[in-house]
């Protein structure tokens, strides 16, 4: 059975044992268990978790199992079966419900303690690579503030999923080499032992990523056999002599905007100003924001999109350069290279540079904390705005954009794949790599897929269930003006 590209069940024995030992101490003190459960109830019923019933259920489940000492139940397959009703034989590689829900829980915990950390006696953390929670407790008599607890080493580190560094995928099924991302300096006191564990974990994870991505290429050599991408949008990208750059999203920037309540403009992002209002942040918010900036990560949904696009490039004897959004410079865009961007403006501010070419544009609603898509030039039977009913990792409807546009003032082309949530971006990636599906929709739009270059955008609708996109359809297609580059 094929497992996940990036299996999340790796654990460091020493850190896992220490978390199990902490829960063992709790089970001997009923008062402590009651206190923790009361804190858990406050977290789940708070503003951050109220938007996702599923994430609240997940957090309740892993804490309950840990308190009961059922640590064998805190594994991906078991959680999928017991919490989400999956069959015992379900493919964890194709069904990522546990991983995406765990990722959402990590983000929501980060946001919760960014707001209320100064008043919390407990702090719950779910380290990456494990489903065993970590509980830290601030003893007010010894360390009455967040900074005091940090100085005593009582606060668990914030870990991140799937670190990605610039690398190139060659047009042969060789193993891509992924290097650890360089960490910007952050002046935060951290226990040396925990730092060493974190680096060891990253090292193990990086090796696993290399092996699994290599395995993906090796085990599926015929996936796109006979499907040479000679039609739009791929002919515009791979038919050029210029390089193709694929830019992954930056989910940490989305987290920072959620914690601070301020938006990171593309100008600030390009100038590495990632904290919109640093002088207005609480110490807890400042700590969490600076901590998550220590890594340069991409979203979990980006990995399968990258793998599929790389195989399309291979079929066209083309290589692609893969970079994270944060590693990109504005000067890199002043070239005739072709670009593929993953993620909406919320998770990839570079998207905003191309928004004025689109009829369908993302807008962010602060009151709901979610993105919707506004139609600036509605046509018959089209709506002026498309509002998702699923905020992410939930069940409902969502939307995504697939667009081929110009790189302003350059001759290169830009492919945009972005959803109102991560499931939407995943859906756009699935849709655009289904060559027959894209060709059919382009014909309906009035574009000859194998013909000359035409710029276009599609609005995609999808159903989401437990973090998985389903029933992906194109509900609108607009041909964009082919104005020459300046």
């Amino acid at each position: 059975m094929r497992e996940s590209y990036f299996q999340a069940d790796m654990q460091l024995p020493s850190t896992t044992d220490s978390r199990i030992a902490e829960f063992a101490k709790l089970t001997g003190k009923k008062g402590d268990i009651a206190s923790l459960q009361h804190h858990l109830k406050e977290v789940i019923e708070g503003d951050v978790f109220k938007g996702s019933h599923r994430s609240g259920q997940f957090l309740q489940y892993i804490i309950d199992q840990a308190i009961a000492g059922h640590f064998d139940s805190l594994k991906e397959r078991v959680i999928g079966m017991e919490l989400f009703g999956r069959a015992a034989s379900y493919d964890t590689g194709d069904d990522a419900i546990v991983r995406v829900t765990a990722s959402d829980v990590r983000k929501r915990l980060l946001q919760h303690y960014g707001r209320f950390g100064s008043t919390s006696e407990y702090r719950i953390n779910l380290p990456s690579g494990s489903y065993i929670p970590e509980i830290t407790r601030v003893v007010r008599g010894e360390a009455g503030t967040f900074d005091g607890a940090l100085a005593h080493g009582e606060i668990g580190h914030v870990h991140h999923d799937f670190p990605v560094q610039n690398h190139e995928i060659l047009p042969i099924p060789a193993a891509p080499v992924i290097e650890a991302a360089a960490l910007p300096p952050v002046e935060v006191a951290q226990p040396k032992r925990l730092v060493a564990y974190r680096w060891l974990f990253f090292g193990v994870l990086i090796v696993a990523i290399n092996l699994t991505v290599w395995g993906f290429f090796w085990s599926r050599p015929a996936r796109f056999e006979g499907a040479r991408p000679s039609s739009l949008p791929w002919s515009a990208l791979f038919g050029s002599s210029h390089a193709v750059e694929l830019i992954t999203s930056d989910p940490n920037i989305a987290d920072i905007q959620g914690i601070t309540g301020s938006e990171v403009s593309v100008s600030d992002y390009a100038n590495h100003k990632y904290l919109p209002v640093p002088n207005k942040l609480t110490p807890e918010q400042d700590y969490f924001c600076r901590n998550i900036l220590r890594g340069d990560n991409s979203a979990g949904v980006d990995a399968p999109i990258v793998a599929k696009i790389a195989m399309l490039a291979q079929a066209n004897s083309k290589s692609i350069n893969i970079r994270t959004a944060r590693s990109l410079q504005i000067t890199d865009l002043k070239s005739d290279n072709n670009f593929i961007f993953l993620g909406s403006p919320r998770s990839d501010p570079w998207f905003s540079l191309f928004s004025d070419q689109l009829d369908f544009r993302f807008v962010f609603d602060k009151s709901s904390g979610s993105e919707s898509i506004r139609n600036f030039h509605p046509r018959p039977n089209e709506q002026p705005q498309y509002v998702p009913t699923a905020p992410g990792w939930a069940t409902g409807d969502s939307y995504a954009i697939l667009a081929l546009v110009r790189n302003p003032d350059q001759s290169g082309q830009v492919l945009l794949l972005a959803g109102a949530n991560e499931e939407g971006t995943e859906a756009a990636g699935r849709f655009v790599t289904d060559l027959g599906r894209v060709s059919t929709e382009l014909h309906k739009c009035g574009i000859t897929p194998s013909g000359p270059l035409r710029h276009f955008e599609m609005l995609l609708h999808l159903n989401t269930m437990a973090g998985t996109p389903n029933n992906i359809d194109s509900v609108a297609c607009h041909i964009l003006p082919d104005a020459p580059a300046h």
Side-chain angles (χ1 to χ4, degrees), residues 293-309:
L293 286 171
R294 292 180 65 84
D296 191 359
N297 306 326
S298 62
V301 299
D302 290 358
I305 299 175
V306 170
K308 290 179 180 179
I309 292 177

Side-chain angles (χ1 to χ4, degrees), residues 49 52-60 101 104-105 108 392-393:
F49 272 84
S52 176
H53 179 64
R54 186 173 302 278
S55 291
Q57 283 184 317
F58 185 96
L59 183 58
Q60 182 76 58
T101 306
D104 187 54
V105 167
R108 291 179 188 275
W393 293 280

Side-chain angles (χ1 to χ4, degrees), residues 364-435:
F364 182 74
D365 180 16
K366 287 187 177 182
S367 61
S368 65
S370 61
E371 287 181 301
S372 61
I373 296 176
R374 183 175 299 166
N375 187 353
F376 279 76
H377 298 96
R379 298 180 182 179
N381 300 318
E382 291 182 356
Q383 302 174 25
Q385 189 156 351
Y386 296 84
V387 181
T389 60
W393 293 280
T395 299
D397 297 315
S398 192
Y399 297 92
I401 291 173
L402 186 170
L404 180 67
V405 300
R406 291 179 296 105
N407 185 0
D409 302 320
Q410 310 298 328
S411 62
Q413 309 303 318
V414 176
L415 179 64
L416 303 172
L417 305 175
N421 49 30
E422 288 192 10
E423 295 96 322
T425 299
E426 181 180 357
R430 287 189 191 180
F431 194 95
V432 78
T433 53
D434 186 338
L435 305 184

Side-chain angles (χ1 to χ4, degrees), residues 17 71 91 110 141 144 158 165 195 203 248 269 291 298-299 306 316 319 334 394 432 467:
D17 291 345
F71 297 103
D91 190 337
L110 185 67
V158 179
Q165 178 70 349
V195 172
T248 60
Y269 193 73
N291 207 317
S298 62
V306 170
N316 206 59
S319 64
K334 296 185 179 300
V432 78

Side-chain angles (χ1 to χ4, degrees), residues 197-445:
Y197 285 151
R198 181 175 62 188
W199 280 111
L200 176 59
F201 174 78
F202 279 162
V204 173
L205 184 59
I206 290 164
V207 171
I209 289 173
N210 278 302
L211 291 175
T212 49
V213 174
W214 178 84
F216 176 83
F217 279 92
W218 182 261
S219 63
R220 298 191 173 191
R223 184 177 179 88
F224 293 106
E225 194 172 285
R228 187 178 179 86
S230 57
S231 58
L232 292 172
W234 303 110
S235 57
L237 301 172
F238 299 149
S240 165
S241 60
H242 297 291
V244 177
E245 308 238 17
L246 191 155
I247 313 302
T248 60
S249 63
D250 189 349
N252 290 343
I253 290 300
D255 292 339
I256 284 176
Q257 293 173 97
I259 291 171
T260 63
S262 301
E263 295 187 37
V264 177
S265 68
V266 65
S267 176
D268 285 343
Y269 193 73
N271 288 290
H272 308 292
K273 296 179 180 178
Y274 305 131
L275 300 182
V277 284
N279 58 329
K280 296 183 180 179
L281 301 181
T282 66
E284 293 81 11
Q285 290 174 331
D286 184 76
Y287 167 76
F288 279 115
C289 289
R290 293 185 182 279
N291 207 317
I292 64 176
L293 286 171
R294 292 180 65 84
D296 191 359
N297 306 326
S298 62
V301 299
D302 290 358
I305 299 175
V306 170
K308 290 179 180 179
I309 292 177
M311 295 193 76
L312 286 174
Q314 175 188 345
N316 206 59
S317 300
K318 190 79 173 182
S319 64
I320 59 175
N321 299 316
I322 302 172
R323 305 179 61 178
T324 58
R326 214 181 302 169
S327 72
L328 195 67
Q329 305 290 330
I330 192 67
T331 53
D332 296 328
L333 294 170
K334 296 185 179 300
S335 71
D336 291 331
N337 288 348
N338 300 305
F339 290 87
I340 303 171
F341 286 91
L342 306 183
S344 72
R346 193 77 174 165
S347 61
D348 186 352
W350 296 112
F351 186 103
S352 302
L353 293 176
F354 313 101
S355 291
D356 60 354
Q357 299 183 56
L358 302 176
D359 291 342
F360 298 104
R361 304 178 193 177
F362 288 97
V363 293
F364 182 74
D365 180 16
K366 287 187 177 182
S367 61
S368 65
S370 61
E371 287 181 301
S372 61
I373 296 176
R374 183 175 299 166
N375 187 353
F376 279 76
H377 298 96
R379 298 180 182 179
N381 300 318
E382 291 182 356
Q383 302 174 25
Q385 189 156 351
Y386 296 84
V387 181
T389 60
W393 293 280
T395 299
D397 297 315
S398 192
Y399 297 92
I401 291 173
L402 186 170
L404 180 67
V405 300
R406 291 179 296 105
N407 185 0
D409 302 320
Q410 310 298 328
S411 62
Q413 309 303 318
V414 176
L415 179 64
L416 303 172
L417 305 175
N421 49 30
E422 288 192 10
E423 295 96 322
T425 299
E426 181 180 357
R430 287 189 191 180
F431 194 95
V432 78
T433 53
D434 186 338
L435 305 184
R437 188 88 181 276
V438 174
S439 294
T440 298
E441 294 302 327
L442 287 176
H443 273 298
K444 293 179 181 178
C445 194

Side-chain angles (χ1 to χ4, degrees), residues 5-133:
Y5 303 129
F6 307 115
Q7 187 66 18
D9 279 337
M10 294 180 302
Q11 299 178 11
L12 297 177
S14 56
T15 54
T16 298
D17 291 345
S18 66
R19 292 200 296 277
I20 292 176
E22 286 300 318
F23 274 102
K25 293 179 182 179
L26 277 175
T27 57
K29 301 177 182 179
K30 293 185 179 179
D32 287 348
I33 294 177
S35 179
L36 174 60
Q37 289 176 333
H38 177 73
H39 172 72
L40 175 63
K41 186 174 184 290
E42 290 181 337
V43 172
I44 293 175
E45 294 180 356
D47 291 340
V48 174
F49 272 84
K50 69 180 182 182
S52 176
H53 179 64
R54 186 173 302 278
S55 291
Q57 283 184 317
F58 185 96
L59 183 58
Q60 182 76 58
Y61 174 85
I62 62 174
I63 294 294
D64 287 346
Q65 294 299 315
I67 290 176
H70 299 160
F71 297 103
D72 288 342
S73 297
L74 296 178
K75 296 179 179 179
E76 180 176 5
R77 184 174 300 281
V78 179
I79 296 173
M81 294 164 53
E82 295 188 358
L83 184 60
F84 299 118
R86 297 302 193 259
S89 60
Y90 92 99
D91 190 337
T92 58
D94 288 335
D95 189 340
I97 181 173
V98 176
R99 296 191 300 280
V100 296
T101 306
S103 179
D104 187 54
V105 167
R106 293 184 185 104
K107 293 178 181 179
R108 291 179 188 275
L109 286 172
L110 185 67
Q111 294 180 28
H112 175 85
Y113 292 117
R115 297 181 188 178
F116 310 112
S118 61
T119 60
S120 295
E121 178 182 1
Y122 290 96
R123 290 182 179 83
I124 303 171
N125 182 35
L126 182 60
S128 294
S130 173
Y131 300 113
I132 298 177

